[in-house]
Amino acid sequence: MALLQISRLSKEYLGGTKALTDVNFSVAEGEFVSIIGPSGAGKSTLLRCINRMVDASEGEISFDNINVSNINKKNLRLLRRRIGMIFQHYNLVNRLSVIENVLHGRLGYKSSIKGVMGVYTEEEKQRAFEILNKLGLKEQAYKRCDQLSGGQKQRVGIARALIQDPKLVLCDEPIASLDPNASKIIMDHLKNINKEMGITCIFNLHQVDVAMKYSDRIIGINNGQIKYDGPPEALSRDMIYSIYGTEAGELITD
Amino acid sequence: MESSSTISLNTLKKKDDAIKYSGKKIRIAAVGGSQTAINMTLFVLVAATVYGFLTFDYKSMDFLRAVSLTLGNIKTMFIEARLSHITLVEAFKELSITLGLSILTTIIAAAIALILGLLSARNLSNPKIGNVIKAVVAFIRAVPTVLWILIFAVSAGLGSVAAIIGLSFHAIGYLVKAYSETFEEIDYGVIEALKASGASWWQIVFQAVIPSSASYLMAWTFMRFEINFMVAVAMGAAAGAGGIGFDLFMAGGFYFDVREVGFITYMILGVALVLEVISTNIKNKLLY
């Protein structure tokens, strides 16, 4: 049984914009999947439908044998804490320290009061430091997040997702705001997490070459529909052009 | 060098020639309407001012004499300032009552406005609830503080209770707007990130929203505290709320003692200055 099963998923925003049309695919546990496609193709919407940050109009999503579509509010919290999310703009609380931001990933496991007061157990704090150490951020633990570089901020974002003990990590353009070197560090960390900890990763990516290099599987989306779903080796140049809707030779791919 | 500069001059001249006026007037402002509205307003204000001065009833007042007497009064007030009807200790005690009044009303207002501000911020709450709160609060703000105090004086009687309720009421209206706009300014991504990790609404508010906006909340609250202090002085006189404002009123309106008025004014000015220094420090420390 696949970890994530998406069938006949459609999303129409208020005002009639069709973001997704009849999307079907499934992801097995431990897969490293990239979703590529032009801006506005519906990649972000697709990712956000999985953890219900966006409500789908039609279709079904099941995650770990739970039907995500008609889940109540309490169970939605339980679902979300098992799905980590990483963002293009890191989305950290800049005025708090690195370690506090990492521990935010545990809020889903806490009672409201403890979360409000920011009370974490010693085990959680220890785990947070282990993760930071692994990501090479031990020295930065007590720095405020606005003192970090982009690459460091994204690593804090990864740490926040990891401390949730997720089965699946959704990455929305994780390297779109980073320089090539920081991008490589981030992608290597994510690949490690996938290999060593067996966490399934689904990526939105703009960089086709990065997607080809790192992923086990690539899904190409254009205009809300899946154009390609298969291994990176089988993704031809013509296919890439058709995903991006351009003529051959007009893309910067490497 | 010489020749090249002449060449560039020539090209400049040529370019100058190239810009030729052709046809009708070209508009460069983005929107024509707003400029007209501003001009109209200015014209009406100038006309009303001129009309006002022309139709004043000056009675038999000698303008120059009036000015010189007023200046004399101000001079006595501020150069020969001293207390005569109350002692210095009493004056400080009354000043502390006024300060207490403003601190109390600021705390009450801040606590209530924090909740209402969260409920009315577009990014945190149901838009319907938010709009209702915003409308009510706009109405509260539109009515001046003095009127609220007089309204509450009907039930609570003229005095400190009416003053506290009335002052807090208007301060709530002010702070709810300030707070909710501060909350709306924060990056939605942070809220989204915590929501996606399974955090509850209260957890998001206390772990992300308030830490991100704390310095602005402090700055707004302190600004309202300064306003509350000024209003508390006035209310001491107007609504009998007690404090230094009442002594000021007695000195000016009852004893006609301009020297005492001067002294009390200095005291209030001193407090206002200290508050200003503190608020500047808070802002510098917290905002960066």
Side-chain angles (χ1 to χ4, degrees), chain B residues 67-279:
Chain B
V67 168
S68 83
L69 277 178
T70 307
L71 286 177
N73 266 348
I74 291 174
K75 196 182 128 200
T76 322
M77 198 186 284
F78 289 111
I79 290 178
E80 300 169 29
R82 62 182 159 78
L83 291 172
S84 42
H85 297 92
I86 50 169
T87 64
L88 188 65
V89 178
E90 275 173 336
F92 270 109
K93 201 184 133 214
E94 294 299 312
L95 192 64
S96 70
I97 289 176
T98 304
L99 262 176
L101 202 64
S102 40
I103 291 173
L104 185 63
T105 50
T106 309
I107 291 174
I108 293 173
I112 296 173
L114 190 69
I115 308 288
L116 292 180
L118 288 168
L119 289 177
S120 62
R122 229 179 302 121
N123 49 355
L124 293 171
S125 145
N126 182 322
K128 274 183 195 155
I129 300 173
N131 283 338
V132 169
I133 294 175
K134 276 182 183 167
V136 172
V137 149
F139 172 73
I140 292 174
R141 265 200 322 274
V143 178
T145 316
V146 189
L147 266 182
W148 282 121
I149 292 171
L150 292 177
I151 289 167
F152 286 116
V154 174
S155 52
L158 216 51
S160 53
V161 176
I164 288 173
I165 301 175
L167 246 173
S168 308
F169 214 63
H170 198 261
I172 290 169
Y174 180 94
L175 287 179
V176 167
K177 185 178 165 71
Y179 287 178
S180 68
E181 278 174 12
T182 307
F183 295 143
E184 280 167 10
E185 283 292 302
I186 74 162
D187 179 15
Y188 181 72
V190 180
I191 299 173
E192 189 189 22
L194 291 201
K195 214 190 238 179
S197 74
S200 68
W201 190 83
W202 284 108
Q203 290 176 341
I204 294 172
V205 163
F206 279 91
Q207 289 296 323
V209 176
I210 291 182
S212 304
S213 51
S215 52
Y216 293 96
L217 298 184
M218 280 297 287
W220 278 115
T221 312
F222 207 85
M223 191 164 166
R224 184 63 211 191
F225 175 56
E226 287 175 70
I227 297 173
N228 275 2
F229 176 71
M230 296 305 168
V231 180
V233 171
M235 286 313 106
I244 199 76
F246 185 69
D247 294 305
L248 187 64
F249 171 69
M250 290 300 279
F254 193 74
Y255 301 118
F256 299 112
D257 185 349
V258 287
R259 292 179 183 84
E260 193 160 88
V261 169
F263 194 89
I264 294 175
T265 308
Y266 275 132
M267 290 178 83
I268 294 168
L269 210 67
V271 173
L273 247 151
V274 170
L275 293 186
E276 187 60 44
V277 170
I278 295 174
S279 88

Side-chain angles (χ1 to χ4, degrees), chain A residues 48 51 53 77 80-81 83 85 87 91-93 95-96 104 107-108 110-112 115-118 120 160 164, chain B residues 187-190 192-200 202-203 206-208 211-213 215-216 286-288:
Chain A
R48 280 168 176 73
N51 61 357
M53 297 302 287
R77 255 191 97 187
R80 280 178 179 164
R81 70 186 195 190
I83 303 178
M85 196 161 187
F87 304 86
N91 296 357
L92 307 172
V93 182
R95 297 185 154 268
L96 295 182
H104 277 169
L107 287 175
K110 310 199 90 56
S111 68
S112 257
V116 162
M117 308 288 285
Y120 301 98
R160 181 175 62 187
Q164 284 177 238
Chain B
D187 179 15
Y188 181 72
V190 180
E192 189 189 22
L194 291 201
K195 214 190 238 179
S197 74
S200 68
W202 284 108
Q203 290 176 341
F206 279 91
Q207 289 296 323
S212 304
S213 51
S215 52
Y216 293 96
L286 282 173
L287 289 186
Y288 301 103

Side-chain angles (χ1 to χ4, degrees), chain B residues 31-87:
Chain B
V31 187
S34 68
Q35 193 56 43
T36 325
I38 291 168
N39 288 343
M40 286 293 289
T41 315
L42 281 178
F43 176 76
V44 168
L45 286 177
V46 169
T49 311
V50 171
Y51 177 79
F53 273 108
L54 289 177
T55 54
F56 267 151
D57 180 8
Y58 290 100
K59 291 254 166 56
S60 55
M61 196 178 73
D62 181 353
F63 185 70
L64 282 179
R65 197 167 152 266
V67 168
S68 83
L69 277 178
T70 307
L71 286 177
N73 266 348
I74 291 174
K75 196 182 128 200
T76 322
M77 198 186 284
F78 289 111
I79 290 178
E80 300 169 29
R82 62 182 159 78
L83 291 172
S84 42
H85 297 92
I86 50 169
T87 64

Side-chain angles (χ1 to χ4, degrees), chain A:
Chain A
M1 186 65 197
L3 179 71
L4 181 73
Q5 178 89 45
I6 294 177
S7 47
R8 300 187 326 280
L9 178 71
S10 292
K11 171 67 188 173
E12 194 176 330
Y13 282 106
L14 278 172
T17 318
K18 272 214 146 217
L20 296 171
T21 322
D22 194 28
V23 171
N24 296 284
F25 68 93
S26 65
V27 177
E29 198 158 353
E31 263 192 299
F32 199 87
V33 184
S34 295
I35 302 171
I36 59 169
S39 301
K43 303 189 299 290
S44 287
T45 306
L46 174 58
L47 222 56
R48 280 168 176 73
C49 280
I50 295 171
N51 61 357
R52 283 277 301 276
M53 297 302 287
V54 168
D55 284 328
S57 318
E58 267 175 69
E60 274 187 8
I61 299 171
S62 85
F63 170 76
D64 207 16
N65 296 326
I66 305 162
N67 190 345
V68 176
S69 325
N70 45 24
I71 199 170
N72 65 24
K73 214 177 162 189
K74 189 167 169 276
N75 285 331
L76 183 60
R77 255 191 97 187
L78 300 185
L79 170 88
R80 280 178 179 164
R81 70 186 195 190
R82 294 171 63 212
I83 303 178
M85 196 161 187
I86 294 165
F87 304 86
Q88 177 183 352
H89 298 294
Y90 330 120
N91 296 357
L92 307 172
V93 182
N94 279 328
R95 297 185 154 268
L96 295 182
S97 68
V98 166
I99 189 79
E100 280 174 297
N101 269 288
V102 174
L103 286 165
H104 277 169
R106 295 301 294 181
L107 287 175
Y109 288 90
K110 310 199 90 56
S111 68
S112 257
I113 295 290
K114 277 192 178 161
V116 162
M117 308 288 285
V119 181
Y120 301 98
T121 63
E122 294 307 312
E123 289 80 38
E124 284 171 331
K125 291 182 212 167
Q126 198 185 348
R127 177 98 180 98
F129 272 103
E130 279 167 21
I131 293 172
L132 281 180
N133 199 15
K134 198 170 183 173
L135 295 171
L137 283 173
K138 207 178 183 186
E139 277 78 49
Q140 270 76 30
Y142 294 108
K143 271 193 186 168
R144 258 172 60 158
C145 276
D146 48 11
Q147 295 172 322
L148 302 182
S149 70
Q152 288 172 326
K153 282 183 185 173
Q154 193 59 290
R155 275 184 274 162
V156 178
I158 295 174
R160 181 175 62 187
L162 284 186
I163 204 166
Q164 284 177 238
D165 280 327
K167 286 202 99 161
L168 170 69
V169 174
L170 304 172
C171 310
D172 190 17
E173 314 276 3
I175 55 169
S177 304
L178 299 176
D179 67 55
N181 185 37
S183 298
K184 187 177 181 315
I185 294 171
I186 294 296
M187 288 310 293
D188 287 344
H189 276 305
L190 288 169
K191 189 80 192 170
N192 262 339
I193 288 158
N194 174 252
K195 281 267 161 338
E196 285 174 21
M197 303 165 90
I199 297 171
T200 315
C201 295
I202 302 180
F203 274 78
N204 277 349
L205 275 179
H206 267 312
Q207 298 84 344
V208 180
D209 55 324
V210 177
M212 302 270 259
K213 191 175 160 202
Y214 283 91
S215 10
D216 305 330
R217 181 174 154 202
I218 292 181
I219 294 175
I221 289 193
N222 187 338
N223 210 5
Q225 282 168 314
I226 292 189
K227 293 268 171 191
Y228 176 84
D229 184 353
E233 303 83 46
L235 181 64
S236 64
R237 279 186 103 69
D238 286 344
M239 198 62 215
I240 295 173
Y241 295 131
S242 126
I243 290 167
Y244 283 91
T246 49
E247 294 300 313
E250 283 183 356
L251 281 173
I252 306 169
T253 48
D254 38 26

